[in-house]
Amino acid sequence: MTKKSPKKVVLAYSGGLDTSVILKWLQTTYGCEVVTFTADLGQGEELEPARKKAELLGIKPENIFIEDLREEFVRDFVFPMFRANALYEGQYLLGTSIARPLISKKQIDIARKTGADAVAHGATGKGNDQVRFELAYYAMEPDITIIAPWREWDLTSRTKLLEFAEAHQIPIAKDKRGEAPFSVDANLLHSSSEGKVLEDPNDAAPELVYQRTIAPEDAPDKATEITIDFEKGDPVAIDGARLSPATLLAKLNELGKANGIGRLDLVENRFVGMKSRGIYETPGGTILHKAHRGIESITLDREALHLKESLMPKYAELVYYGFWFAPEREMLQALIDKSQELVTGQVRVKLYKGNVEVTGRTSPYSLYDKELVTFEEGAVAYDHRDAEGFIKLNALRLRTLAARKKKTGL
Amino acid sequence: MTKKSPKKVVLAYSGGLDTSVILKWLQTTYGCEVVTFTADLGQGEELEPARKKAELLGIKPENIFIEDLREEFVRDFVFPMFRANALYEGQYLLGTSIARPLISKKQIDIARKTGADAVAHGATGKGNDQVRFELAYYAMEPDITIIAPWREWDLTSRTKLLEFAEAHQIPIAKDKRGEAPFSVDANLLHSSSEGKVLEDPNDAAPELVYQRTIAPEDAPDKATEITIDFEKGDPVAIDGARLSPATLLAKLNELGKANGIGRLDLVENRFVGMKSRGIYETPGGTILHKAHRGIESITLDREALHLKESLMPKYAELVYYGFWFAPEREMLQALIDKSQELVTGQVRVKLYKGNVEVTGRTSPYSLYDKELVTFEEGAVAYDHRDAEGFIKLNALRLRTLAARKKKTGL
Amino acid sequence: MTKKSPKKVVLAYSGGLDTSVILKWLQTTYGCEVVTFTADLGQGEELEPARKKAELLGIKPENIFIEDLREEFVRDFVFPMFRANALYEGQYLLGTSIARPLISKKQIDIARKTGADAVAHGATGKGNDQVRFELAYYAMEPDITIIAPWREWDLTSRTKLLEFAEAHQIPIAKDKRGEAPFSVDANLLHSSSEGKVLEDPNDAAPELVYQRTIAPEDAPDKATEITIDFEKGDPVAIDGARLSPATLLAKLNELGKANGIGRLDLVENRFVGMKSRGIYETPGGTILHKAHRGIESITLDREALHLKESLMPKYAELVYYGFWFAPEREMLQALIDKSQELVTGQVRVKLYKGNVEVTGRTSPYSLYDKELVTFEEGAVAYDHRDAEGFIKLNALRLRTLAARKKKTGL
Amino acid sequence: MTKKSPKKVVLAYSGGLDTSVILKWLQTTYGCEVVTFTADLGQGEELEPARKKAELLGIKPENIFIEDLREEFVRDFVFPMFRANALYEGQYLLGTSIARPLISKKQIDIARKTGADAVAHGATGKGNDQVRFELAYYAMEPDITIIAPWREWDLTSRTKLLEFAEAHQIPIAKDKRGEAPFSVDANLLHSSSEGKVLEDPNDAAPELVYQRTIAPEDAPDKATEITIDFEKGDPVAIDGARLSPATLLAKLNELGKANGIGRLDLVENRFVGMKSRGIYETPGGTILHKAHRGIESITLDREALHLKESLMPKYAELVYYGFWFAPEREMLQALIDKSQELVTGQVRVKLYKGNVEVTGRTSPYSLYDKELVTFEEGAVAYDHRDAEGFIKLNALRLRTLAARKKKTGL
């Protein structure tokens, strides 16, 4: 049926119905050995049930891999991306996009360890995730065989999927019988929801969609103020308490959730070519994004900042499209990281009913100089009269253009 | 004392103490005729007192120009800029920057009409505004003489200024005797505050600074929902009622103010080289910015949007630096306006205690296609299997790189 | 065998062996009516033999379309692209890329006229041209059926192709019996050669590859000097004689050929993901490119030029990838065309054994001002002392950085 | 007369008439101690005469600094810049610009060593060099006093300068009596000529202007072929012989000169606002530029190359404007250097009467894969059929746009 004939496949396995069906489909379609990989990226689900389920479906214990990736995820993927202030299409904090490369990387690691010749994922054929997974697989292992069941099988409706599950004794949770009113992806950085009830971009998202944040309306009537310490562009402490990357992000998530922060209702453009509508919740990330801009505002030179800003859309696009393990992303990261060497200091942030406001920033490396900016003259470095020369030479080309216009009328 | 010896100067005159001192200083220093120009850009002050004051200071009636520029300001400056989604340093909506070129343009128009050979403004020698005024003057009239009193005179302290005012019978309002705790600029788009109590970027801005918005905490507990109609990238109606540009922006300002929307506490980088801290309030502009992104999200093609986004920082920098009347800004505007031809439709926006959230968008030119994005296959335009080829060719260069790495170890 | 079942196909038909085989294959495979379209883009072949051959292969006279597109090609495709100074990967003048969209556009026009539901081209499955043809087809007619025989059929070797030709009474020119030592594409702008003897990028290209230029070694020992007049960025006259676009380019080709100008030996990156090596000859285009830069150098403002330059790589990439009929190309064109309004004047160019050197430029719209640049002071617009202020404010941020370094040691 | 009252000044001293006048003028105007710094950057003049002359003008031996900077210049300035393929305004190889930061750096080093509080240079008030020198001074020593005699003194004509020289017993070489017909700057990378006979951009440059190259017409009738080896983006050997950076560049200069390579007649835009016309000769640099592109063409990934290309104009602008020691240049350098890690291999270059042509390239890290590009199918990594999916998804957004157009007529 297909030219692929994998012997051993490493499957990104959540333990849920869909990836369980995939597991069984791989076994029955290819007659291959399946290795499951289940990762904790902070999606908020326990992992041990996935082990049990895998065993139940006949996976050998030595073929079941379960790993807590939360610290690695935040330290090596989320934080580098936040150094860039990355926003896709000006708004989206890239919560789903940034998780895929790490999962892919681990699948390839496991494939090498177990001698597997193939990998498989549960992403659909119309989304961005298939691209992100597969670009990362190929970037690490150029000749790996990739199985993308959603693009290959004929289980093209919910009914067929459930029939296959029943036929293969895959347990079906009661609430999975009916169709979910929307689909969800989640990790420590965010949750996203899309599809079904969200498909008309002119219908407001129902409140039940939101899982990571309470509504601003339900948040406390009193603002919460916190400080975040940064070192070289990364957050290291909240209210003076030093925290590991994942712990810190989890703490920010709590704070964001409680204050109704980080909701986004967006129509975005997928890499595969169509528009889609998503509801994103990035409580901690939203706080972090603003706070990072705050610390940069006093520690980054103007042109360093402007250069970063001008490249940010490209960086965000690369992450969104799935080019994390690509030389152009690494080149941009080198540029960005170079700029962050002294992005160190403290930001004070006010959280209130959906709002994040930077109210103070301080740094031993601050470039803000009260002397320079103060109304009264005096600072040695700045002579009012310099401004005239500055303006006149900046204007010279404009004056030449104006003179041409006077002369030629054009 | 200076090589300039203007005969007739067109002064940007607010009627306030500072520009009244400048008026008198011009007369006494240069012995020149002064023409005053007072514009209504929606700063919220009446203009007739400025006429009276100018007369009192000896300006001939035919030398007093007063003009309501609100519609021109919004239609020809604010709206074109909002088509670009311009944010300086990722955050600032450029409310002060965008007003300067229009004032300059009008001063030059009046200089031509009245045969004046010079123009003057009241911007200080450390700020951006002097640059914005003067670049615009020069771009229109290359040989104009420019007087920037704050860079020239010796009234370098508040005390000296007041002494000069008293010596020349300039009336001093009681509240101008003491130093203002911060300085303010305002127009229909925004108000900005800086200096004095705001100079330490680690001190939160006191509530008294805010003039255009109530605090989110004081805003209604119930959200307000409105619709905004757009045509070719510009807003034309609120809740179905067609409004002129200035009226529409004023209406959005009301709505924004009432819901605590549009506050920004920012440390930014000036064109003249130092960092400064400002408090900006852009209630209507903040709503408009989000709504414009909303209508673009369904009507703009992906690559059109990404191209715009990648050039936005440059566009915003040009506006902030004062290069409005420069070919590079006009070239970017041509690119942006080209993209807006079908940015037409309606956006629904929810306003609540500082938050602006797009909850719906619809357009006769929508590119959003439910068929394409829906989970179940069927759409003719999209075949799941196409994704494999798409990914494989996108991955080809990454696979080649990976193969090199395998071969060379580098 | 395939889901496509076209009734009537418009084929881009050269009259050569390959497209004749395609013609017959379309008839036999799909049983469909074939419409042939043969265009003169200056490739240097007569068109009437293509008509005869099409008739011979059973195409009805009303289904044979032959058109001289040279003027349209140069005026609406080549010249707009040269306004951008487009060079792919810093070197390639895009001669093949720019011809494809026009051919596609005409095929779609003919499909509409003849009621055809499909189009077909003879580009292979590994190259850029298939992408360029098909993106353009889809951009004009979203539901058109596209037949790309080289990706579909099983004539995967030269032998099979010849067998098919013989089996179907397709005449085979004697010199087509053997394999060509490389493959060629040509039009009025350039010719390109690739494949076979050129496949090792470390082997110098043999002289026989070159078709449009004589070797610099064989060119006259005396330089030729010409003038080119430009209007709004486009060339309009050579040595004072006004010429139509295609005639002008043909004349430049003659001059370039005779002087050994316009050869390029390049390894480039294809859109489909691999590197390839090509030999390009663009005699007239190389002269035009340099001359256009020459006239821009005195008529374009600095920032207009720098903005154009910064976007040129993107523009060139779009043309190379096949996104001519895409909004982002049109947006860039709007920006570029805006800049060309006064790019009018005359350039003098010296041609000598492969070299093109601009030796003079003059324009009624020149921004070059001898007064400003002359060593001795005097010009009113420029005061030496302005430079100090200009430098000091440009240096202010660097001094602040240096002061930080002194203070913190970092 | 001026607020500056330097005690000890480090002067960039060539030993020529102009800087000798400056030396004396500094002594007589400020009564300060003068330290001379004379550097060998390969300008082709001996340095010992400068020492003698300085002594003659009363400089104490311990205040005379002479240094051979050629290796440092090429290794740390020229080569990093060539990694970027930097061309200002698409054409200029930045030979003058790149030398200034190094001279400035050394002057500051000597100022620190000798306890000097000021530096001085001999650049005029209308050029770019004053900016380049001074930005670099300030970037290293924020409170340094800078003396720019050409902007300060009243020796505003050649006559006055000669009178001053005579009045102060400064020896005047015979050929310096009259005005030079143009002014020259030279170093190991290039020589530039401008002014006087070159001021009309419509007059061809006379042959006597050229100093570093023979005319292409005078070059040998037979081509010279060489190989250049690269490691990590830098050239390390010619024809297999390993050479130090300065020696290698000198060797390329010889080869370039002999073959009439590297002439450029350019009207460019200065940072200070006006256009100027220059004749540049960069014989070795022109070869190096082409060769570097050649080795990149097989070792750099497409997106790495395109990203570099898109940032090159910015990088070149920064170097031209004098922002070498600025964070934005360092950030770009980090990005560029990251890309060069495997830019290693050999390029074969043909030199012939002004032409430089890459005729071969090879590398252990080559990404060129004959298998992938070859006409006949077979390569595992590439399936012709993948192209269809690739094109269809790339076309999806264009089809959606086309469908909109069909539906709305817009």
Side-chain angles (χ1 to χ4, degrees), chain C residues 4 88-91 124-126 130-131 134-135 138-139 141-143 150-153 156-158 179 199-204 210 216-217 223 265-267 269-277 293 297-298 300 302-303 305-306 309-310 313 317 321 323 325-328 348 350 352-355 357-362 367-368 370-376 382 384-385 387-388 390-392 394-395 397-399 401-403 406, chain D residues 4 88-91 124-126 130-131 134-135 138-139 141-143 150-152 156-158 179 199-204 210 216-217 223 265-267 269-277 293 297-298 300 302-303 305-306 309-310 313 317 321 323 325-328 348 350 352-355 357-362 367-368 370-376 382 384-385 387-388 390-392 394-395 397-399 401-403 406:
Chain C
K4 299 163 188 163
Y88 182 64
E89 300 192 340
Q91 304 195 70
T124 68
K126 283 190 169 175
Q130 56 178 339
V131 190
E134 297 179 28
L135 291 181
Y138 281 133
E141 198 55 55
D143 297 322
W150 285 102
R151 294 200 307 257
E152 298 182 19
W153 65 23
T156 50
S157 70
R158 197 77 200 155
E179 292 243 25
E199 275 186 3
D200 186 334
N202 205 29
D203 288 349
Y210 296 96
E217 285 87 342
D265 177 339
L266 185 69
V267 176
N269 294 287
R270 289 191 185 157
F271 186 28
V272 290
M274 76 284 277
K275 290 184 181 291
S276 71
R277 192 259 198 110
R293 282 190 178 278
S297 77
I298 57 166
L300 259 198
R302 183 185 73 205
E303 294 302 311
L305 176 60
H306 290 201
E309 287 289 314
S310 74
E317 187 186 272
Y321 286 5
F323 291 98
F325 296 117
E328 63 275 23
R348 195 174 55 250
K350 182 185 155 189
Y352 174 69
K353 283 188 185 284
N355 297 280
E357 196 187 338
V358 172
T359 62
R361 34 332 231 168
T362 180
L367 296 166
Y368 181 90
K370 211 185 290 195
E371 284 296 298
L372 275 179
V373 83
T374 192
F375 182 78
E376 309 276 333
Y382 194 95
H384 274 188
R385 282 161 190 82
E388 184 177 339
F390 179 73
I391 295 169
K392 283 177 79 177
N394 271 300
R397 64 184 186 88
L398 301 178
R399 296 172 75 180
L401 286 164
K406 289 215 139 187
Chain D
K4 299 161 186 164
Y88 182 64
E89 301 191 340
Q91 304 195 69
T124 69
K126 284 190 168 175
Q130 56 178 339
V131 190
E134 298 179 27
L135 290 181
Y138 281 133
E141 198 55 56
D143 297 322
W150 285 102
R151 293 201 307 257
E152 298 181 18
T156 50
S157 70
R158 197 77 199 158
E179 291 242 27
E199 275 185 4
D200 186 334
N202 205 29
D203 288 349
Y210 297 97
E217 283 88 343
D265 177 339
L266 185 69
V267 176
N269 295 287
R270 290 190 184 157
F271 186 28
V272 291
M274 77 284 278
K275 289 183 182 292
S276 71
R277 193 259 197 107
R293 282 191 179 277
S297 76
I298 56 166
L300 260 197
R302 182 185 74 204
E303 294 303 310
L305 176 60
H306 290 202
E309 285 289 315
S310 73
E317 186 185 273
Y321 286 4
F323 291 97
F325 295 117
E328 63 275 23
R348 193 174 58 249
K350 181 184 157 190
Y352 173 69
K353 284 188 184 284
N355 298 281
E357 197 187 336
V358 172
T359 61
R361 38 327 233 172
T362 180
L367 295 166
Y368 181 92
K370 213 184 292 193
E371 284 296 300
L372 275 179
V373 84
T374 194
F375 182 79
E376 309 277 335
Y382 194 95
H384 275 189
R385 283 164 189 79
E388 183 176 339
F390 179 73
I391 294 169
K392 282 178 81 175
N394 270 300
R397 61 184 188 89
L398 301 178
R399 296 172 76 179
L401 285 164
K406 290 216 139 187

Side-chain angles (χ1 to χ4, degrees), chain A residues 333-375:
Chain A
Q333 195 74 54
L335 177 146
I336 288 159
D337 290 355
K338 178 82 187 160
S339 76
Q340 302 290 298
E341 290 169 358
L342 298 179
V343 177
T344 293
Q346 190 178 79
V347 172
R348 194 174 55 251
V349 174
K350 181 184 154 189
L351 314 175
Y352 173 70
K353 283 188 185 285
N355 297 280
V356 185
E357 198 188 336
V358 172
T359 62
R361 36 329 232 170
T362 180
S363 165
Y365 305 105
S366 178
L367 295 166
Y368 180 91
D369 182 343
K370 212 185 291 195
E371 284 296 299
L372 274 179
V373 83
T374 192
F375 181 78

Side-chain angles (χ1 to χ4, degrees), chain B residues 333-371:
Chain B
Q333 195 74 55
L335 177 145
I336 289 159
D337 290 355
K338 178 84 189 158
S339 76
Q340 302 289 298
E341 290 168 358
L342 298 179
V343 178
T344 293
Q346 190 178 78
V347 173
R348 194 173 57 248
V349 174
K350 181 185 156 189
L351 314 175
Y352 173 70
K353 284 189 184 284
N355 298 280
V356 185
E357 197 187 336
V358 172
T359 61
R361 38 325 232 175
T362 179
S363 165
Y365 305 105
S366 178
L367 296 166
Y368 181 92
D369 182 344
K370 214 185 290 195
E371 285 296 299

Side-chain angles (χ1 to χ4, degrees), chain A residues 200-355:
Chain A
D200 185 334
N202 205 28
D203 288 348
E207 186 59 31
L208 68 94
V209 169
Y210 296 98
Q211 324 192 344
R212 287 286 183 99
T213 52
I214 61 171
E217 284 88 342
D218 298 333
D221 290 329
K222 212 176 151 309
T224 303
E225 223 172 48
I226 59 167
T227 62
I228 304 178
D229 287 330
F230 284 87
E231 284 177 16
K232 301 189 180 191
D234 292 339
V236 295
I238 296 176
D239 286 336
R242 234 180 148 82
L243 298 168
S244 75
T247 323
L248 188 144
L249 182 53
K251 177 76 185 161
L252 287 181
N253 278 339
E254 264 176 55
L255 288 158
K257 174 180 190 166
N259 288 288
I261 286 164
R263 295 179 167 197
L264 175 66
D265 177 340
L266 185 70
V267 175
E268 81 206 38
N269 294 287
R270 290 190 184 157
F271 187 28
V272 289
M274 75 285 278
K275 290 184 182 291
S276 72
R277 192 258 198 111
I279 298 296
Y280 299 109
E281 296 168 86
T282 323
T286 301
I287 301 170
L288 182 52
H289 179 82
K290 286 263 184 125
H292 184 255
R293 282 191 179 277
I295 190 64
E296 281 194 334
S297 75
I298 57 166
T299 56
L300 259 198
D301 168 67
R302 182 185 74 205
E303 294 302 311
L305 176 60
H306 290 202
L307 179 56
K308 268 190 78 200
E309 287 288 315
S310 74
L311 293 170
M312 183 275 277
K314 175 74 180 172
Y315 182 97
E317 186 184 271
L318 289 171
V319 175
Y320 185 86
Y321 287 4
F323 291 98
W324 183 264
F325 296 116
E328 63 274 25
R329 204 278 309 170
E330 289 166 1
M331 288 163 67
L332 286 170
Q333 195 74 54
L335 177 146
I336 288 159
D337 290 355
K338 178 82 187 160
S339 76
Q340 302 290 298
E341 290 169 358
L342 298 179
V343 177
T344 293
Q346 190 178 79
V347 172
R348 194 174 55 251
V349 174
K350 181 184 154 189
L351 314 175
Y352 173 70
K353 283 188 185 285
N355 297 280

Side-chain angles (χ1 to χ4, degrees), chain D residues 309-363:
Chain D
E309 285 289 315
S310 73
L311 293 169
M312 184 276 277
K314 174 75 180 172
Y315 182 96
E317 186 185 273
L318 289 171
V319 175
Y320 185 86
Y321 286 4
F323 291 97
W324 183 265
F325 295 117
E328 63 275 23
R329 204 276 309 168
E330 290 166 359
M331 287 162 68
L332 286 171
Q333 196 73 56
L335 177 145
I336 290 159
D337 290 356
K338 177 82 188 160
S339 76
Q340 302 290 297
E341 289 168 0
L342 298 179
V343 177
T344 293
Q346 190 178 79
V347 172
R348 193 174 58 249
V349 174
K350 181 184 157 190
L351 313 175
Y352 173 69
K353 284 188 184 284
N355 298 281
V356 185
E357 197 187 336
V358 172
T359 61
R361 38 327 233 172
T362 180
S363 165

Side-chain angles (χ1 to χ4, degrees), chain B residues 70-86 98 188-189 228-238 243-250 252 284-285 288-289 292 296 308 315 324 329 333 336-337 340:
Chain B
R70 287 175 297 176
E71 291 294 345
E72 185 174 354
F73 174 52
V74 179
R75 184 187 64 233
D76 295 344
F77 292 78
V78 174
F79 282 0
M81 180 174 79
F82 272 76
R83 283 176 220 142
N85 298 329
I98 193 62
L188 195 52
L189 180 55
I228 304 178
D229 287 331
F230 285 86
E231 285 178 14
K232 300 189 180 191
D234 293 339
V236 296
I238 296 177
L243 298 170
S244 75
T247 321
L248 188 145
L249 183 53
L252 287 181
L288 182 51
H289 179 83
H292 184 255
E296 282 193 335
K308 269 191 78 199
Y315 182 96
W324 182 265
R329 203 276 310 170
Q333 195 74 55
I336 289 159
D337 290 355
Q340 302 289 298

